[in-house]
Amino acid sequence: MRRRNFLKSSIGLSASAFLLTQKSALIAKGVNMHEDDEAFSYQVGDKISSEAFISDGEKKHHTLVSLCSESLPTLNVLYIFGGGALGREGKTGDIWCQDSFEDLSVLRYLKSKYEIEPIQFIPVACPPIYSTKYYGYDEGLLLNNSDDSEKVIEATDKFIETTMKAFDSGFIPVKPYFDFRYRLMFNRNEEYTPGKGYGEVYSWQGKFRAENEFQTYGVPTIWLLDAEGKVLAGPFSGNVYHSDPYQINYTVKDIDEAVLKYF
């Protein structure tokens, strides 16, 4: 399969300029960023923030670091993907993101192959936060309204329901966690700046997004982490299965080879 070359100097320079512009925009808008957060995205060898959290199906928060240390696995596979389609039916079943729908075969393969190994899979389902209107909800609902808003509660519950339907069918092979406010893959583009109801924008938001990610969402994205939350490999990202021409940056073979280094 064909791979995109992200190493071309012209792309690298434009990506760097984009990141600098977005960082300045966030600082100007009062986003909480630390002085030592020079890189927007995590790099191999970095330890992820101890404050970075996701939620379970009961909406209880869990830090990623605490999840990484559960059962003391040799390796954690953090699989961030587009989850349930909020009840909107389509050719991709209960998954709103077409690329995630196709790419989940990678997670199913790894889960099957490494069933008895000390490896933990942490799937994180993300909602279509930047396009809620398409799914029958108010535009910007999850970007501008608070957690206790009745409409947000309704949409969140529906997102959990449709995602869990895909899990119950076996399409998602591991019980997923949720990132209801799209914090891990937070888009720094000024166009997607959240409103006051969104709540605090943490310094770690968006650092799970590839440095050169140009897509609005950027899912699916895969990271390999150790038991302490240190980045071992990744991000594996940028697979676009339904574009013309399609764009494949990694295959199941690439992920499998990365995993095998730790066994």
Side-chain angles (χ1 to χ4, degrees), residues 156-257:
T156 301
D157 288 346
K158 192 65 177 179
F159 179 61
I160 294 172
E161 176 190 332
T162 52
T163 303
M164 292 305 296
K165 184 177 178 181
F167 167 68
D168 291 338
S169 72
F171 193 80
I172 301 172
V174 182
K175 189 174 183 178
Y177 289 92
F178 300 88
D179 184 5
F180 300 120
R181 296 296 186 151
Y182 215 73
R183 290 188 164 94
L184 302 186
M185 298 290 291
F186 186 70
N187 191 325
R188 307 175 189 88
N189 193 306
E190 188 172 358
E191 177 184 355
Y192 303 113
T193 300
K196 291 182 179 179
Y198 179 92
E200 181 177 359
V201 176
Y202 303 98
S203 62
W204 50 266
Q205 287 193 203
K207 298 195 75 171
F208 293 86
R209 191 178 173 90
E211 258 184 342
N212 48 15
E213 182 57 70
F214 65 92
Q215 300 180 90
T216 299
Y217 287 100
V219 287
T221 289
I222 306 170
W223 296 83
L224 304 187
L225 309 172
D226 71 7
E228 296 181 344
K230 185 175 75 173
V231 177
L232 300 176
F236 298 92
S237 64
N239 279 3
V240 183
Y241 294 90
H242 293 276
S243 63
D244 186 16
Y246 61 85
Q247 301 165 0
I248 302 297
N249 291 334
Y250 66 87
T251 67
V252 65
K253 183 174 183 291
D254 296 318
I255 308 299
D256 192 31
E257 288 177 348

Side-chain angles (χ1 to χ4, degrees), residues 12 23 109 112 114 121-123 125 145 162 166 190 211 234 246 262:
K23 184 171 184 177
Y109 172 85
S112 177
Y114 295 99
F121 297 97
I122 307 175
N145 298 276
T162 52
E190 188 172 358
E211 258 184 342
Y246 61 85
Y262 302 96

